[in-house]
Every structure is written in structure tokens, then in C-alpha cells.
Amino acid sequence: MPTEDELFAAVDALLTGEPEMPPPAERARLREAAGITQARLAQVLQTTTQSVKNWEAGRSEPRPPRRQAYQRLLDGWSAQQPARPSATVPAALSGRPAPAVPSAPSSSPPVAEPTVRPAAMSRRPPAKKAAKPAATPADPRFPHGPLAVLDGDGNAYAVDGIVLDCPATTVVELVEWTLKESGLGAARLNRSGKDSDPLIVLTASAAVKLGLPERLEGREERRSLRLADDHPVVKQVAKAKWQLTQRGFGPWARIYRKAQGSARQCVQLAVLSWDALDARSWPGVADMAPVDIARVLGVYAQRVITPRGSTAVSGLELMTALRPPTRAVQENGTWVSGHNPGSLGSDQMDPAPPEAIAEHPVVVNSGWSGGFLNEEAYQWVRAPALLSDEECLLPYAVGLDLNTAFLAAAARLTVGLSAPDHFHRPMFNKKIPGSWLADLSHIDLDPRLPSPFTPDGTRPTGPTWYQTHTLAYAEELGHDVHPIEAYLRRETGAYLDPWHDRLKTAYVDTLADLGVTADLTDAEFLAAMEHHKQADPAMAAVLTAIKATVKGGIGKLRERPQGRTYRDGAPWPAMQRPTWRPDIRAAVISKARVNMHRKLANMVKLTGLYPLAVLSDCVVYPSPGASPLDFLPYAASGKPLMGGFRLGPTPGLAKLEGVQEMAWAVDLMEKGLNPARHIKGGDAVLDDGE
């Protein structure tokens, strides 16, 4: 039995109590509002990233002394970023009358009353499994979510089954209704950033009702993917004192007026019948019922970003939304706009000549002829003469695909944030991002593996420009590196960290919605992946869009000039933005290729197996069975061995890409074709980041 003193001490402790921690969702909101990643917070509190994830998911609580430090940090963030009031559930969803809403300040538009249509309005049955809610709580300024899909009857389908009545019959009326009455939009992803503009997706019938053509007509309109300047709708927009961005009224149009104070006045329109949703990135979505389109785009908006164009555009915009170029700073007692540390800034920066492309003004105007970085994804096939008899007698060729390999490579990736400086005969330093001219042709490696130094896997023939990760891997393999010259950046940082963290969470959560979770055994994982797309086509489309966002976002870092009229040396729009950074793209791809080679080399050590071919993040192995379980390395306990390829749902782990007969693979190799491109049973698209 406890003593009286012990009981009194316990009661005193209970009376005194510890400060109550904010709820898990609020912890995550405060951290994200401060622009801090989970990994950075874990580093400060000297714990693991998984522990921080557990605290923010409510799975566990911090213990002293970390609890006190964490509490102090949250209190500080809370003082800087006051807690948002709890979002109320719309009356139409709760079944209860909605409470009276106080009048909003002049900067907050009034909200339209939501109406819910009968379930029969949807041409598809509701999904069996609802998607997980967004990581951050709903913003009361935008009670109806980030977007809506408008049909020809005036029904605007928003997220969570909400259907709004939209009386607009013209584009101008639609813009004004969206800003003043719809309650659509999304909160900023960083406290120094901007709220996402509301998105209205137009079905074909809605487009026609608003005076738009169902399809872009005329040779010029189809070629430029925009309405002509003399189209009645374009004139109508201008007459109402609204403006279009430079890309005009196309599949993705932005209609705006200059902001009044802090209130933005901008609406995005996406026209489905003008192919706003590319079928490669959004498979089957354009043909879904409006309620299902709203669900797909709504989940993507909550987990990634409100779509702002193609998934490639959205991927690039997400980088800026998470790392805004400027922030508010005090100068002589006045708040002004200043540089946001860790961002790329707001000014365009010229690349070093070897980091650019042949058309770039830096190259053309300087007459540069010193070669270029060639950091691209693998396209390699082993020479058929190097196949052994034992390999040829194996019955199967099995393809493994790495989950979002470029996203995995972006994790904790240090990149340059300042302009490049030129150095001659520098000492190599693997911690400095940049481009190095070095000769690796003397390095002799096993020809049954691709060279880690070239995209085609062949041995280098002389001095070539390499990104830092490629040279660092040469050192890791035990070779001396002596650069001839280099373009290096003095200011560095992990610019892509928040981008990686948000997309990784979106990818893992969406796979979990499809029944593919980290707690599955390898056999269960393979079975789940075989049928995951059929489990919920809507969530499968979200997953495809997330993967396309990763690939396209990296590719946009080196977007090339477009149009028949372009001439070498002339500037083009993409290169004039701060995010035109081919060196960052090269760093991601270099690290991804090095990661692939490291796994290939470890597989030789663990299993003695050599690959038949590699195509970017897909590798094909000869196998005694039709499953990866027949050749991947496992310990006696059944656990996968570290270092080689491992199965799993997170970025960087592998899944089954396809299985064919070994004779089929050998036949392709002898024809000079890549089995990794066709292992799935059709032509794969080269995932080179473009």
C-alpha cells in the first residue's frame, strides 16, 4: 500500500499539472506554418523523424526532457501564428441546423449556403473507402475546400460531397461568384507564402453554357492552345476590367485583378474538354462524373497543392509554395519584403555554362565549347556476350521498379542557392554542390554492371563535367578524384526538403488508401500491388498524379524553349524564373543514378546476380522464379538484407514491374533493345525527369 506522503505527493503533482500539449493536428499545423520539416524538428530535439511523426499523428507523446523543449517551441510558434478556430461541419453534412455565422470582415467574402444533391446525382457508386483527411485542419475562410467541378446545370461539386448552386451564366459572373460567394480556396502552405486561388473545373456542358467552345477550334487556337484575343469571352473579361495571364485563355486560365491590400482576386479555370487533365497524369479522370472528379482533385489539392496547370507545373509551384522567395522582415521599424533564407530568391540566376543547354544565352553569347553536364537517368543493356550459360538457362526475367526514385534522391539533398563561382584545379569536396570537370576514364569497373558515371553505362572516354554526387561516388568506390576546374556555389541548403516530405507523405498515404501499407509482409505487398488500382480507381488516379508531379517538377527545373519561331540565344519564358535551375535537376538525377548503381553493386555482393538491363528506375534480373521473392536477398530470419533492393511502399523501395520469359529478354538484348522498357508488357515511358 502507498504511504500517505506518497499519495499527497501524487495529488500535489496532479494539482500542479504539466502544461497541456496542443492536439496532434495543431502541432503539425504550427510546424508547417513555421516552414520547418519533421526532419529538422527531429534534429533540433535530438530524436528521430519517426518520433516527430508519431507525436503529430497522436500515436505517442514526448517524454521529459524533450516534452518541455517541444512545449516551449510550440508555445513560441503559437504566439507567432495564433490557432485557427475549429472549422464547423456544414449543416447539410451534419444533419443539424448550421449555427449562425458572424459577419465576415471586408477582406473575407461571404459564403454560399451549400446544398447536397441526392446520391443518385452521381453516375458512380460512392467509394467503399474514404480517403484520409488532409494533414492540416480545414481553414474556416474556405469552408467548401479548394475547388469545385461545374456542370451545365449550375451544380458546383466541391470536396466532401458538397454541391453548391452556381447561378453564373458568363465567365465574368462565374469569377465574381467564386470570389464572393463560393467559399472556395486553400490556405498557404508556408506562413510567408500566398493562399491558393480557388479552382473551378468546367465540364464540356458548363463551358458551352458560359459561351466557350466545347473544343478549341481553328488552326491557330489548336496550335497555341488558347482562345484568340478577339473571342467574345476574352473581350467580355477585358471589358469587366479583369485580366488574363500571358498564357491567355487556354485549358488552364487564370483570371485576376490586382490585389486590394492582402486580399487576392484571382480564379483558376480548367476546361476538361480542352484536355486540361492529361490522361497520362490523370488516367480516366476527365471521363468521371463531376462528383468523382471533385474527389480526385480535392484529395490531390489537400495532400499536394491545388492544381495550377499540368502536374509538372504543379510540382514546380509546390516548391515555391513551400519555400517562398520572400518573407516579411523589419527594417527601421517598418515591415518590408526581404529574402527568405533557404529559398531560391525572387531573381533569375544564370547557370554556369556547363550546366546550361546549347540554346541558352549564356552559352551562345560566350561561345562556350567546353562541354555540358550529362547527368541523366540510366538507359543501359548488358552486352549479350557477357551473359553466362547459367543465366540464359534461368526461366524468367523479372523487372523491379523503384518507387518515385527521383523523390527518394531529393531527400536531404544539399543544392546551391547562390550564383556559381569558377575555380581552376580545386580540391574536390563532396559537401559542395556544383559542376566539376574531371577525368574518370581510367576507372575500370565490371562490365556486367553499368558504369555509374554515364547514363548509357559505358566507360567515360576523357574529361567530362560531373555533378558532385557522381564524383563523390567515385571516391566511395576507392578512386582518387582530381578536378581540372569547377563551378561551385558558396551558399547551400536542402531546398527540396519540404517538397520531398510533403510528396512522400502524399504518396504513402494514397497507397495506404489503396490497401498498400508498410506493415504488410513482402508477399502481401506484392499481392496488394497487383490489385491496388482496382481497389479504388479514383485514388489510383491520385497516386498516378502524385508520381507525375515528382517527375514533372524535376523536369521543369530545366524546361527547354518551345515554338517553331525560337532562335538559339534568345531568352525564353521558363529560363527567366528563379526555379530554372538545371544544376538542381542534375543533382537529383545524379544522386538517383548513384543510388541505383550502389544497389546493383550490393546485389552482386549479396546474391551474385547481375542485371540484364536498367531503364531509369527499372532494373531487370534473371530469376529462377516468376517473383522477386525468388532472387532478392533475405536473412535466415526472413528479413530482407540491407543494401540491395527491398520491397515496400515508400520512396526508394521496390515493387514488381513485370515478368517475362528469359528467352524473350535475351532476344531483345540481341536486337539492341532494352528489356526494361518492355518488361511490363508494353512500351514504357522513359522516366528521365522531362
Side-chain angles (χ1 to χ4, degrees), residues 49-61:
T49 304
Q50 187 59 52
S51 294
V52 175
K53 291 180 178 179
N54 291 341
W55 300 341
E56 293 184 353
R59 291 189 289 267
S60 66
E61 291 292 330

Side-chain angles (χ1 to χ4, degrees), residues 123-433:
R123 295 193 291 273
R124 294 172 184 251
K128 295 180 181 178
K129 187 176 182 181
K132 292 182 182 178
T136 53
D139 191 306
R141 296 174 300 158
F142 310 115
H144 302 147
L147 55 89
V149 181
L150 182 65
D151 67 13
D153 297 322
N155 303 315
Y157 296 83
V159 298
D160 298 329
I162 297 173
V163 185
L164 307 173
D165 282 318
C166 176
T169 57
T170 68
V171 168
V172 170
E173 290 176 357
L174 174 62
V175 169
E176 293 176 349
W177 172 85
T178 303
L179 291 174
K180 296 177 181 177
E181 301 180 47
S182 71
L184 297 173
R188 66 197 67 185
L189 298 180
N190 182 289
R191 64 179 179 178
S192 298
K194 300 174 182 177
D195 295 335
S196 288
D197 300 316
L199 168 64
I200 301 294
V201 181
L202 303 179
T203 61
S205 58
V208 171
K209 178 182 177 181
L210 296 171
L212 298 168
E214 183 174 345
R215 295 276 178 186
L216 287 177
E217 301 169 350
R219 185 175 178 182
E220 285 303 315
E221 286 183 351
R222 289 197 303 270
R223 181 184 299 167
S224 62
L225 294 178
R226 58 192 285 176
L227 290 180
D229 292 340
D230 60 354
H231 190 279
V233 171
V234 176
K235 289 183 176 180
Q236 174 194 104
V237 169
K239 184 177 180 181
K241 307 300 183 184
W242 290 95
Q243 294 178 268
L244 291 163
T245 58
Q246 288 185 350
R247 62 183 174 184
F249 206 125
W252 290 89
R254 296 176 73 88
I255 302 176
Y256 71 98
R257 282 179 182 152
K258 289 185 178 180
Q260 296 179 348
S262 60
R264 289 175 59 79
Q265 297 188 89
C266 182
V267 174
Q268 299 183 96
L269 300 181
V271 187
L272 291 176
S273 57
W274 296 1
D275 299 325
L277 297 180
D278 189 319
R280 294 169 297 179
S281 302
W282 301 96
V285 176
D287 297 324
M288 292 180 178
V291 65
D292 295 320
I293 297 174
R295 178 180 175 229
V296 171
L297 297 181
V299 172
Y300 179 89
Q302 291 168 337
R303 293 182 178 175
V304 182
I305 193 172
T306 303
R308 303 191 182 185
S310 68
T311 49
V313 169
S314 296
L316 195 68
E317 291 281 346
L318 180 62
M319 296 180 195
T320 303
L322 293 169
R323 294 272 202 195
T326 60
R327 65 171 182 170
V329 297
Q330 273 199 319
E331 193 174 279
N332 299 324
T334 304
W335 288 101
V336 297
S337 179
H339 175 66
N340 187 20
S343 76
L344 297 182
S346 54
D347 297 325
Q348 177 264 341
M349 185 184 301
D350 282 338
E355 297 167 349
I357 54 178
E359 304 96 317
H360 198 283
V362 163
V363 175
V364 175
N365 296 338
S366 67
W368 173 262
S369 59
F372 299 96
L373 274 175
N374 188 27
E375 299 288 12
E376 301 294 341
Y378 268 135
Q379 291 190 72
W380 172 82
V381 180
R382 199 195 325 171
L386 297 177
L387 292 171
S388 68
D389 293 340
E390 292 79 4
E391 288 175 318
C392 292
L393 291 174
L394 290 172
Y396 295 103
V398 177
L400 293 175
D401 179 73
L402 295 182
N403 302 322
T404 56
F406 289 171
L407 184 62
R412 317 302 165 243
L413 177 69
T414 301
V415 300
L417 301 178
S418 56
D421 291 319
H422 193 195
F423 297 88
H424 291 280
R425 297 290 177 185
M427 290 285 292
F428 178 67
N429 187 332
K430 66 180 181 181
K431 295 183 179 180
I432 301 178

Side-chain angles (χ1 to χ4, degrees), residues 350-582:
D350 282 338
E355 297 167 349
I357 54 178
E359 304 96 317
H360 198 283
V362 163
V363 175
V364 175
N365 296 338
S366 67
W368 173 262
S369 59
F372 299 96
L373 274 175
N374 188 27
E375 299 288 12
E376 301 294 341
Y378 268 135
Q379 291 190 72
W380 172 82
V381 180
R382 199 195 325 171
L386 297 177
L387 292 171
S388 68
D389 293 340
E390 292 79 4
E391 288 175 318
C392 292
L393 291 174
L394 290 172
Y396 295 103
V398 177
L400 293 175
D401 179 73
L402 295 182
N403 302 322
T404 56
F406 289 171
L407 184 62
R412 317 302 165 243
L413 177 69
T414 301
V415 300
L417 301 178
S418 56
D421 291 319
H422 193 195
F423 297 88
H424 291 280
R425 297 290 177 185
M427 290 285 292
F428 178 67
N429 187 332
K430 66 180 181 181
K431 295 183 179 180
I432 301 178
S435 304
W436 311 74
L437 180 64
D439 190 350
L440 304 181
S441 60
H442 62 284
I443 299 178
D444 189 19
L445 298 174
D446 193 322
R448 291 173 292 180
L449 290 177
S451 167
F453 311 127
T454 60
D456 62 4
T458 60
R459 185 171 175 170
T461 57
T464 305
W465 288 95
Y466 297 102
Q467 202 276 333
T468 298
H469 281 89
T470 305
L471 285 193
Y473 189 56
E475 279 197 337
E476 182 182 323
L477 295 175
H479 303 282
D480 291 333
V481 174
H482 302 288
I484 301 167
E485 59 178 306
Y487 285 90
L488 310 177
R489 287 170 166 80
R490 299 178 189 274
E491 184 182 344
T492 65
Y495 171 71
L496 293 175
D497 262 10
W499 186 80
H500 162 271
D501 292 350
R502 186 168 178 85
L503 285 169
K504 177 184 177 182
T505 300
Y507 180 82
V508 171
D509 286 352
T510 307
L511 263 181
D513 288 334
L514 294 167
V516 185
T517 56
D519 58 351
L520 299 177
T521 66
D522 283 0
E524 291 170 339
F525 168 74
L526 290 172
M529 286 299 295
E530 188 175 354
H531 303 291
H532 76 285
K533 291 184 179 180
Q534 289 74 42
D536 187 343
M539 286 301 100
V542 174
L543 185 69
T544 300
I546 292 170
K547 292 189 288 186
T549 302
V550 174
K551 172 186 171 183
I554 297 300
K556 278 282 185 181
L557 293 170
R558 198 191 68 172
E559 185 177 356
R560 291 179 175 274
Q562 301 174 15
R564 295 190 220 172
T565 59
Y566 178 76
R567 295 293 178 267
D568 289 356
W572 62 95
M575 62 150 280
Q576 295 174 300
R577 63 185 181 223
T579 48
W580 198 85
R581 290 295 301 273

Side-chain angles (χ1 to χ4, degrees), residues 504-685:
K504 177 184 177 182
T505 300
Y507 180 82
V508 171
D509 286 352
T510 307
L511 263 181
D513 288 334
L514 294 167
V516 185
T517 56
D519 58 351
L520 299 177
T521 66
D522 283 0
E524 291 170 339
F525 168 74
L526 290 172
M529 286 299 295
E530 188 175 354
H531 303 291
H532 76 285
K533 291 184 179 180
Q534 289 74 42
D536 187 343
M539 286 301 100
V542 174
L543 185 69
T544 300
I546 292 170
K547 292 189 288 186
T549 302
V550 174
K551 172 186 171 183
I554 297 300
K556 278 282 185 181
L557 293 170
R558 198 191 68 172
E559 185 177 356
R560 291 179 175 274
Q562 301 174 15
R564 295 190 220 172
T565 59
Y566 178 76
R567 295 293 178 267
D568 289 356
W572 62 95
M575 62 150 280
Q576 295 174 300
R577 63 185 181 223
T579 48
W580 198 85
R581 290 295 301 273
D583 57 301
I584 296 180
R585 174 187 177 275
V588 172
I589 297 177
S590 168
K591 186 179 175 184
R593 198 181 66 245
V594 164
N595 288 346
M596 172 65 83
H597 191 276
R598 189 180 289 112
K599 286 181 169 62
L600 297 174
N602 286 336
M603 282 289 288
V604 175
K605 298 173 185 175
L606 295 171
T607 67
L609 287 177
Y610 291 86
L612 301 176
V614 184
L615 182 75
S616 187
D617 50 10
C618 177
V619 56
V620 178
Y621 275 102
S623 173
S627 168
L629 302 177
D630 295 315
F631 67 89
L632 288 178
Y634 291 87
S637 63
K639 292 186 177 180
L641 295 177
M642 301 295 288
F645 294 99
R646 292 186 296 140
L647 300 175
T650 55
L653 297 186
K655 60 182 178 292
L656 177 64
E657 179 72 2
V659 182
Q660 300 288 343
E661 293 182 353
M662 182 63 182
W664 167 91
V666 173
D667 182 57
L668 285 183
M669 294 168 70
E670 290 177 341
K671 293 177 180 177
L673 301 176
N674 193 325
R677 184 182 294 275
H678 308 279
I679 192 73
K680 203 170 185 177
D683 286 352
V685 177

